[in-house]
Amino acid sequence: MKVSLKSKEEIARIKEAGEILADCHKRISELITPGITTLEIDAFVEKYLADRGATPEQKGYRGFPFATCASVNEVVCHGFPNNKKLREGDIVTIDLVVNKKGWLADSAWTYPVGKISSEAKRLMEVTEQALYAGIAQAVPGNRIGDIGYAVGRCAEEANMGIVKALIGHGIGRKMHEAPDVPNFGRAHSGMIIKTGMVFTIEPIFTLGDIGAVLWDNDGWTIRSADGTLGAHFEHTLAVLEDGPVILTK
């Protein structure tokens, strides 16, 4: 698949969606307390986006029925929102894609529910650090492998698992475009990063060092195979002449 290089005007359109998404995440962070359900969060997101003239791109994508993916504890990705109340000590990832006038932005964030364990906190910190380590490599002339290598090293040094089945991706008018952006790789390998590329970087790590996952029967929900906690942090970014700019910050 050919990479679509975006103009400054197109990047500005994606940034408009990204700013809505970033503010939505800020509101979500204020909502997450013990006792709230992920279905309540999902309903909030749908109304919030409608009020901003935007839509949740996930809803209806290949039959996905919700505005958000809500993944709790050992669910690492694509969890269905439900009526189960979040409990003190849980961690929950809310992942959403915003469509504003046909242009898309994508961001996931893992949140603590009340006071969490030191292990869970460390998992979240390492995964978020890996996101920014990857973003720092997204400069013209580097290669996609440089991003994966930087992300993967963070997990390896912390003895955490990399969920290799799930990767970052190009984005623009479609949710998934070229290039693929894995969370592991060899430095100085892969596609050359060029000005105008827009893609997501989204490390997903587990407390267990295997990183293997299992799919539920619903065809969407993905859990760590060893039952350990998973965390997921994601930004959409654009590559400009002087380096990366986060569009969902």
Side-chain angles (χ1 to χ4, degrees):
M1 190 187 298
K2 187 179 178 183
V3 174
S4 164
L5 299 179
K6 310 295 191 294
S7 68
K8 287 183 178 177
E9 292 77 14
E10 290 170 330
I11 290 169
R13 294 286 187 87
I14 298 167
K15 187 171 189 287
E16 189 179 356
E19 287 172 346
I20 293 169
L21 202 167
D23 191 58
C24 187
H25 265 301
K26 183 173 182 292
R27 307 295 180 92
I28 291 167
S29 71
E30 295 162 358
L31 285 176
I32 292 179
T33 53
I36 196 169
T37 71
T38 49
L39 209 50
E40 288 171 326
I41 295 166
D42 190 76
F44 165 81
V45 168
E46 187 143 23
K47 183 179 185 304
Y48 175 86
L49 296 184
D51 290 345
R52 298 290 295 268
T55 55
E57 186 70 9
Q58 275 124 305
K59 193 166 185 177
Y61 177 78
R62 295 184 179 177
F64 190 81
F66 299 101
T68 63
C69 298
S71 306
V72 181
N73 294 334
E74 78 281 0
V75 177
V76 300
C77 204
H78 301 159
F80 282 14
N82 60 41
N83 276 318
K84 186 177 179 182
K85 292 181 179 181
L86 294 175
R87 298 180 299 178
E88 182 98 15
D90 286 342
I91 62 174
V92 56
T93 299
I94 305 297
D95 185 3
L96 63 144
V97 182
V98 170
N99 182 325
K100 176 69 172 179
K101 297 178 182 174
W103 292 94
L104 311 180
D106 187 0
S107 177
W109 220 251
T110 300
Y111 297 99
V113 182
K115 188 175 181 181
I116 60 173
S117 69
S118 58
E119 275 192 324
K121 186 177 179 184
R122 182 165 171 266
L123 171 67
M124 289 172 55
E125 287 171 348
V126 169
T127 311
E128 186 177 355
Q129 287 166 7
L131 169 63
Y132 291 105
I135 290 170
Q137 295 299 316
V139 298
N142 272 6
R143 292 179 178 268
I144 293 294
D146 293 317
I147 296 173
Y149 178 73
V151 170
R153 271 194 71 187
C154 292
E156 290 162 4
E157 289 174 358
N159 293 316
M160 291 175 181
I162 305 165
V163 178
K164 294 184 176 181
L166 301 168
I167 60 175
H169 51 87
I171 190 167
R173 285 196 174 276
K174 294 181 179 177
M175 196 188 306
H176 297 117
E177 299 180 356
D180 290 343
V181 187
N183 293 312
F184 60 97
R186 193 162 46 86
H188 318 305
S189 69
M191 183 182 291
I192 294 173
I193 298 168
K194 296 179 180 179
T195 300
M197 283 185 173
V198 176
F199 52 78
T200 72
I201 297 175
E202 46 181 310
I204 306 175
F205 294 168
T206 62
L207 267 180
D209 61 4
I210 301 169
V213 291
L214 300 170
W215 270 256
D216 280 8
N217 291 333
D218 61 26
W220 286 99
T221 306
I222 303 174
R223 302 173 186 272
S224 64
D226 58 9
T228 59
L229 296 177
H232 178 190
F233 288 86
E234 173 188 20
H235 272 311
T236 297
L237 61 100
V239 180
L240 303 184
E241 294 88 345
D242 52 355
V245 171
I246 298 170
L247 304 179
T248 47
K249 192 169 184 178

